[in-house]
Amino acid sequence: MPLPYLTEVEAGLYYLTESITSGNMGDKLKNKINTAYPHRHLLGIEGISRENINHILDLAESYIEKNRQIDKKHVILKGRTLINLFFENSTRTRMSFELAGKRLGADVINMSVATSSVKKGETLIDTAMTLNAMHPDFIVARHPESGAVHLLSRKVNCAVINAGDGSHEHPTQALLDALTIRRKKGRIEGLTVAICGDILHSRVARSNILLLNAMGAKVRIIAPPTLMPAQAEKLGAKVFYDMREGIKDCDIIMMLRLQLERMETNFIPSVREYFHFWGLDEEKLALAKPDALIMHPGPINRGVEIDTKLADDLNRSVILDQVEMGVAVRQAVLEILSHTLQE
Amino acid sequence: MTKQIFTKPTHHLDPSHKVAYTNARLFDAESGLDAKGELLTIGSTIADFGPAIFKDGIPQGAKVIDCKGHLLTPGLLDIQVHFREPGQEYKETIETGSKSAASGGVTTVACMPNTKPVIDDVSVVTFIHRRARETGYVNVRTYGAISKGMKGEALTEMGLLKEAGVVGFTDDGLPVMNALLMRRALAYARELGVPVAQHAEDLNLSAHGCMNEGAVSARLGLPGIPNASEAVIVERDIILAELTGGQYHVLHISTAEAVDAVRRAKKKGLKVTAEAAPHHFCLTDEAVAEYRTFCKMNPPLRAEKDRLAIIEGLKDGTIDAIATDHAPHDEESKRVPMTHAAFGIVGLETMLPLSLSLYHNKIMPLRDVIAAMTYKPADIIHVPGGRLKKGAPADLTLIDLDRNWTLEPESFVSKSQNSPFDHWKTKGRAILTVVGGEVVYELS
């Protein structure tokens, strides 16, 4: 059967946010597109090539050593303003961006908005316009709704970094995970990575699946049937419901935080049952490769998704390395995005 | 440059006022009439039509309209629209909504009852009819709510509402979840001779959903509305329709599963009908990416297999009618993250060209496409019209089948422009709309 208008479907759709934006926000930006990272923003891993990712990771490497020294300061972003705009609680991500900005010499301002008072998107756009009028160079945004950071990025003429939007993406988390893996394993390509937990609601999982696929890793996802998205295999991962099967011969095990705040809606019967089937303990870990690494984006629910001893086992768990890599990766992202800013 | 000219009907037409339509391609889907000919209206009814009714001359005093060979069909119906009056006049009014209808070639609409207040009381029905008389361009009919306040608890005064002129009952976007209430509504409405129409959605299954559940929602990290949420309600309601003998109508059907259920019910001979919206046979959930809130409606845009099932249902008659679910929203309701955005798109001005794509793409014969917008929807809500017949209301639409035009929401006459079909190149447009013998819209 012919499919009417298929090309028109793709070509002619009304792009609401574009058309409502009055004026061309992009025209103030210097059109200096860096071929190693040809984007104005970092909104997600989707659309970012393997070359772009390697470019970010390589640059991040250079920051790791410097961050361990007494003088951690650079002047690359001197005079630049970075606004951390968090509509959702965060400790590590916000602090990590704050440190990254400060160590590069930028002025960093934190703006936390209590989620309860920001339910309406109008507020999001009004906030974006207001901040934009103050001429920031970077906005780092986190928002509880998927797509909200995309929306925001179309209302401002600075670089926008997605620090997590709803269940959609958390690109810097995937990048710091990649840097951690690359440093520990020497490569990413060819590794088998199992991501385990609440895949349905996890932006960390989505960004990691995209990034790991781009880098040539084999990705598995493991979740209870109620916490697995529809047609999950189309995300680019092999789907497992049995953790023992899914974890078998893996190089990397990424545990996700069980979002306890969502549990009233019957996604799982109980925390006890969840740990029994999908919690990482010694016995399940033994099925992975002997040198398999344990990762977790934090914060950890000890005894819910991961046995507390495993989380603290420095031979297996790289959870604190991930935090360290986080600052370096965010420095790299800021530096790269600064190249497209107005001088 | 084309120009749209609107004229409000007087409702006090001289009963002897004659209009002669010459040089028309008379087209009636019910009878299969498709021939060159002429048509005469006297007052507000069709007096005569045929190949050469004016061979002895045009009646004295008649106004002559030269149809230039274009398609003269019964006026189109859209049996699911939201005109937002009373309560949300900043989104649409009976005046602007019916103007939008006239512009799309639609002469009769059926309004949904989710106004503020809800159309659950005779006084609201009376208000709407009065406003339609005072400000409207087309025949404005309305559904009444099944339950008071559409709360799903107590039945409205269905008999009195029917007497006041409602064409059927529905709780619109708040489907009746209580099977007992639905049973009673179907049984009661059976004796009133009107349909109970359901926006089929199990509210527990669809909770928090803002788009179709599938690969796209998984990728975008958006909460999904599964096909099952529609199908379980349609299946349940069909069983209740069989139990009660009531007339059951499925509003804006969107899934392959529900189409299949309606097909089986029809085979059994039950009084079950269904309508589909153009966006459900023109678009899939792929259109939502990246977070286009103008592609957010309920039921949501579904997968390609569902889109094809809707087309199949239209082809084999399982789906009786095309209706738009015209749902105007101001920009602020859509300029928000996907999860917060209002459901719905405007449809009256795009129904005809989008539906004609089924004909132009050789998917359906013209007769079936026009049937789904004329006598078939008229029969669902039991209103006169939808057919070229002597003595029938003089509601007519003149269609230039081959006119190419690009849809431009910013030039819509509706108060709202929330359409995902911006810049769509289409073919076929209403160039004249006649309501009760009076020209209400003309494209110059």
Side-chain angles (χ1 to χ4, degrees):
Chain A
M1 163 159 324
L3 309 180
Y5 292 126
L6 263 189
T7 48
E8 281 89 336
V9 168
E10 277 151 23
L13 278 166
Y14 189 69
Y15 214 126
L16 167 73
T17 45
E18 296 288 6
S19 67
I20 286 181
T21 308
S22 55
N24 190 354
M25 288 298 191
D27 60 9
K28 284 192 192 167
L29 280 168
K30 209 168 153 262
N31 201 16
K32 196 169 82 182
I33 293 300
N34 185 340
T35 48
Y37 186 82
H39 309 280
R40 281 179 57 199
H41 307 298
L42 177 61
L43 300 177
I45 299 297
E46 192 175 348
I48 310 283
S49 70
R50 184 171 182 155
E51 289 67 35
N52 302 161
I53 293 165
N54 275 324
H55 178 60
I56 297 170
L57 299 184
D58 293 345
L59 188 60
E61 290 274 2
S62 71
Y63 282 108
I64 297 170
E65 263 320 300
K66 181 81 172 172
N67 283 340
R68 291 175 180 168
Q69 287 163 18
I70 294 171
D71 182 7
K72 304 171 180 65
K73 203 82 173 172
H74 299 257
V75 292
I76 291 168
L77 298 186
K78 189 167 181 294
R80 300 289 188 193
T81 308
L82 182 156
I83 298 177
N84 268 326
L85 176 60
F86 278 61
F87 293 88
E88 218 181 44
N89 294 334
S90 161
T91 314
R92 71 199 64 217
T93 306
R94 191 180 59 73
M95 292 234 351
S96 184
F97 271 110
E98 185 171 354
L99 279 175
K102 284 182 170 165
R103 285 179 184 172
L104 294 180
D107 297 314
V108 181
I109 293 165
N110 291 305
M111 182 171 164
S112 292
V113 190
T115 45
S116 57
S117 65
V118 183
K119 275 292 172 208
K120 295 267 180 267
E122 287 95 334
T123 315
L124 170 68
I125 290 185
D126 286 345
T127 309
M129 306 285 247
T130 306
L131 294 180
N132 192 56
M134 299 179 194
H135 302 290
D137 300 289
F138 303 95
I139 291 179
V140 175
R142 169 170 288 191
H143 197 280
E145 304 304 334
S146 304
V149 180
H150 286 73
L151 186 60
L152 183 147
S153 74
R154 295 186 188 109
K155 305 292 163 193
V156 297
N157 47 12
C158 64
V160 174
I161 300 170
N162 182 359
D165 64 321
S167 306
H168 181 226
E169 282 226 47
H170 188 355
T172 56
Q173 179 70 44
L175 287 163
L176 72 88
D177 288 342
L179 185 59
T180 309
I181 295 171
R182 203 173 81 165
R183 284 173 62 87
K184 291 284 173 185
K185 293 285 185 189
R187 67 192 167 110
I188 299 173
E189 185 161 15
L191 295 179
T192 302
V193 183
I195 307 174
C196 181
D198 180 357
I199 306 288
L200 181 64
H201 298 114
S202 177
R203 53 196 176 212
V204 174
R206 279 175 184 74
S207 288
N208 262 308
I209 293 168
L210 289 163
L211 184 143
L212 291 165
N213 270 301
M215 301 303 284
K218 292 190 275 277
V219 189
R220 300 175 181 181
I221 48 180
I222 309 166
T226 47
L227 291 172
M228 188 68 88
Q231 302 180 43
E233 66 287 348
K234 288 195 182 156
L235 292 172
K238 205 163 173 215
V239 175
F240 292 87
Y241 299 100
D242 181 330
M243 187 165 177
R244 287 179 174 79
E245 255 178 62
I247 211 170
K248 204 162 172 292
D249 300 323
C250 273
D251 297 288
I252 308 282
I253 303 159
M254 278 186 189
M255 298 303 298
L256 299 174
R257 193 175 79 86
L258 189 66
Q259 306 195 15
L260 290 163
E261 60 274 16
R262 297 184 196 271
M263 286 307 114
E264 77 281 2
T265 39
N266 275 327
F267 282 107
I268 56 163
S270 75
V271 164
R272 188 171 80 112
E273 177 160 322
Y274 182 81
F275 184 73
H276 179 71
F277 290 103
W278 292 280
L280 186 64
D281 55 18
E282 289 283 1
E283 186 222 325
K284 294 193 195 91
L285 180 61
L287 297 165
K289 281 196 183 150
D291 60 347
L293 296 177
I294 302 168
M295 303 178 77
H296 192 299
I300 303 173
N301 296 309
R302 288 171 183 271
V304 175
E305 67 257 353
I306 186 164
D307 184 282
T308 195
K309 270 187 286 178
L310 286 183
D312 295 334
D313 180 352
L314 291 179
N315 293 320
R316 309 302 296 273
S317 160
V318 294
I319 296 171
L320 295 178
D321 301 77
Q322 290 173 269
V323 177
E324 184 187 359
M325 296 307 119
V327 180
V329 152
R330 285 159 185 139
Q331 284 173 294
V333 168
L334 290 172
E335 184 187 336
I336 288 165
L337 290 178
S338 75
H339 297 321
T340 63
L341 292 172
Q342 213 175 6
E343 267 163 17
Chain B
M1 247 340 256
T2 55
K3 197 172 153 224
Q4 302 191 81
I5 302 158
F6 296 90
T7 316
K8 273 189 189 158
T10 61
H11 301 290
H12 299 293
L13 193 62
D14 174 0
S16 64
H17 180 73
K18 296 185 183 70
V19 183
Y21 296 84
T22 60
N23 194 22
R25 177 178 166 193
L26 298 172
F27 196 92
D28 182 62
E30 189 188 33
S31 63
L33 170 68
D34 180 5
K36 278 189 178 175
E38 296 156 341
L39 185 143
L40 176 70
T41 66
I42 301 181
S44 59
T45 54
I46 297 174
D48 198 6
F49 60 92
I53 59 169
F54 302 133
K55 62 179 184 297
D56 300 328
I58 286 166
Q60 207 173 12
K63 181 186 163 194
V64 178
I65 293 176
D66 181 358
C67 298
K68 295 177 181 157
H70 292 307
L71 201 70
L72 187 64
T73 68
L76 309 182
L77 288 89
D78 183 352
I79 56 170
Q80 196 197 156
V81 303
H82 301 262
F83 279 178
R84 309 295 187 209
E85 184 178 354
Q88 289 180 301
E89 289 85 351
Y90 61 98
K91 295 187 176 189
E92 193 82 285
T93 60
I94 288 169
E95 181 173 14
T96 58
S98 64
K99 196 172 177 182
S100 182
S103 163
V106 174
T107 58
T108 298
V109 296
C111 295
M112 300 306 279
N114 70 334
T115 46
K116 293 176 182 174
V118 168
I119 307 176
D120 61 357
D121 189 273
V122 168
S123 62
V124 189
V125 177
T126 312
F127 169 81
I128 287 168
H129 288 165
R130 179 168 63 78
R131 293 293 290 163
R133 243 186 354 263
E134 289 170 359
T135 68
Y137 287 85
V138 303
N139 304 308
V140 177
R141 305 299 301 267
T142 181
Y143 275 98
I146 295 170
S147 66
K148 285 181 184 139
M150 304 196 312
K151 289 192 175 121
E153 289 159 10
L155 287 180
T156 54
E157 293 170 323
M158 292 170 73
L160 295 176
L161 286 167
K162 170 71 196 335
E163 277 187 5
V166 302
V167 293
F169 295 93
T170 178
D171 271 1
D172 198 7
L174 294 169
V176 179
M177 289 294 289
N178 181 330
L180 177 60
L181 186 74
M182 191 62 185
R183 174 191 180 172
R184 296 211 166 121
L186 279 163
Y188 206 83
R190 178 193 66 213
E191 293 308 308
L192 298 173
V194 291
V196 174
Q198 182 84 290
H199 161 108
E201 175 187 356
D202 183 304
L203 296 171
N204 294 312
L205 280 172
S206 66
H208 312 302
C210 72
M211 69 170 295
N212 182 48
E213 180 180 295
V216 181
S217 70
R219 179 166 67 78
L220 295 178
L222 289 171
I225 300 172
N227 278 23
S229 76
E230 178 173 283
V232 295
I233 294 294
V234 171
E235 295 277 9
R236 179 202 75 175
D237 288 348
I238 286 171
I239 291 166
L240 296 173
E242 186 167 19
L243 174 68
T244 56
Q247 184 195 341
Y248 175 62
H249 177 63
V250 186
L251 299 164
H252 47 225
I253 197 165
S254 71
T255 63
E257 293 87 338
V259 172
D260 181 54
V262 171
R263 187 175 286 124
R264 279 184 274 116
K266 286 196 160 172
K267 235 172 236 167
K268 270 189 174 175
L270 304 181
K271 283 191 279 180
V272 172
T273 53
E275 68 185 37
H279 47 267
H280 285 127
F281 58 76
C282 288
L283 296 172
T284 68
D285 61 354
E286 294 286 346
V288 174
E290 299 285 320
Y291 303 103
R292 291 176 179 111
T293 56
F294 277 15
C295 291
K296 180 177 176 181
M297 65 287 282
N298 195 5
L301 299 175
R302 299 287 188 183
E304 179 65 3
K305 75 164 175 57
D306 297 300
R307 191 183 77 88
L308 296 176
I310 300 294
I311 290 174
E312 207 48 50
L314 282 163
K315 280 170 73 175
D316 72 8
T318 300
I319 298 170
D320 305 82
I322 294 169
T324 68
D325 190 8
H326 179 82
H329 286 295
D330 55 318
E331 282 186 1
E332 290 309 307
S333 303
K334 289 287 193 180
R335 200 167 61 161
V336 291
M338 200 61 188
T339 40
H340 294 321
F343 286 108
I345 63 169
V346 290
L348 277 163
E349 288 165 71
T350 54
M351 175 171 83
L352 179 61
L354 294 175
S355 301
L356 284 175
S357 72
L358 296 170
Y359 160 68
H360 288 302
N361 286 305
K362 301 186 171 46
I363 292 168
M364 280 170 72
L366 185 60
R367 182 178 176 183
D368 293 351
V369 176
I370 297 296
M373 291 183 284
T374 54
Y375 81 94
K376 284 184 157 189
D379 285 352
I380 291 170
I381 59 169
H382 310 289
V383 294
R387 17 176 82 80
L388 293 186
K389 227 171 154 175
K390 284 185 197 175
D395 296 341
L396 301 164
T397 304
L398 188 64
I399 301 167
D400 182 348
L401 269 184
D402 296 314
R403 177 174 301 227
N404 291 305
W405 61 303
T406 304
L407 301 178
E408 289 165 351
E410 64 274 16
S411 65
F412 285 175
V413 294
S414 166
K415 249 190 198 184
S416 298
Q417 282 84 42
N418 50 311
S419 170
F421 297 107
D422 193 23
H423 300 318
W424 270 47
K425 289 179 172 52
T426 60
K427 201 169 163 185
R429 185 170 188 177
I431 53 175
L432 185 82
T433 307
V434 178
V435 175
E438 298 180 81
V439 173
V440 295
Y441 161 80
E442 200 179 349
L443 186 71
S444 73

